[in-house]
Amino acid sequence: MELKTDKRFIVAQSLKAITGYVLGVSFILFFLDLEQPYEVIAICMFVGILLFLYLFPKDISVNDGTISFRKDFSRENIDLNLAYIAEVKLECKYYNTIILTTKSGKKYKLHPEDAQTLEKAIQSGK
C-alpha cells in the first residue's frame, strides 16, 4: 500500500524553506557590498531549490510486514519491520502526524495524507 505525504506538511516545509531563503539572501545582501547582487540571488535560489528537492518527503509504503519511509530532513530511507513497532500515536494539528515508537525507544514521525488508513495498516500488520 502506497500513501502520499500530507500536502499541508509539504506546504509548511516549503514556507519554511522560502522564509529561510529570504532571510539568508537578505543577510548576505545587507552585510556584503556586491557589484552584481542578482548573481548571488540566482545562485542561492538554485542551491535552495536543489536542497529542497533533495530532502523532499517521499511516499510511505507498507508491504509484506515492512513499512518504508524517508526520515524527516534527511535522505536516509528507513525499512522498519511492523513487528518491531511498539506504539503508534496519531496527532492531527496543522497536518497529519503519526509517531512510531520502536521497541528500542527510537521515534519516527510520518506525515501521511490519510493517517487513519496508515494507522490501521500498521496495527493489522503487527
Side-chain angles (χ1 to χ4, degrees):
M1 167 187 348
E2 291 281 328
L3 293 161
K4 299 279 184 196
T5 303
D6 194 352
K7 288 176 181 44
R8 294 172 293 185
F9 174 72
I10 294 171
V11 168
Q13 296 307 311
S14 300
L15 289 175
K16 281 197 236 179
I18 291 168
T19 303
Y21 167 76
V22 169
L23 289 174
V25 169
S26 299
F27 183 79
I28 289 171
L29 294 177
F30 183 75
F31 287 108
L32 297 177
D33 185 26
L34 302 172
E35 291 178 16
Q36 304 232 345
Y38 298 112
E39 291 177 6
V40 172
I41 293 171
I43 290 170
C44 290
M45 183 178 289
F46 179 72
V47 170
I49 289 170
L50 286 179
L51 182 63
F52 184 74
L53 291 176
Y54 184 71
L55 298 176
F56 194 77
K58 180 182 134 185
D59 292 344
I60 302 162
S61 65
V62 180
N63 294 321
D64 301 327
T66 304
I67 184 168
S68 300
F69 57 94
R70 182 177 295 157
K71 193 173 173 183
D72 280 350
F73 311 115
S74 81
R75 292 290 297 170
E76 182 182 354
N77 289 324
I78 306 290
D79 292 326
L80 190 62
N81 192 336
L82 294 179
Y84 193 62
I85 298 173
E87 182 184 3
V88 178
K89 184 178 175 185
L90 176 65
E91 291 182 359
C92 293
K93 292 181 183 176
Y94 300 113
Y95 42 79
N96 296 328
T97 303
I98 290 187
I99 301 172
L100 302 177
T101 306
T102 62
K103 292 181 180 176
S104 66
K106 204 168 198 182
K107 291 187 178 190
Y108 298 103
K109 289 185 179 182
L110 306 176
H111 308 285
E113 223 171 38
D114 189 2
Q116 287 82 14
T117 303
L118 180 59
E119 185 178 29
K120 287 177 188 175
I122 292 170
Q123 296 294 348
S124 67
K126 283 186 168 182

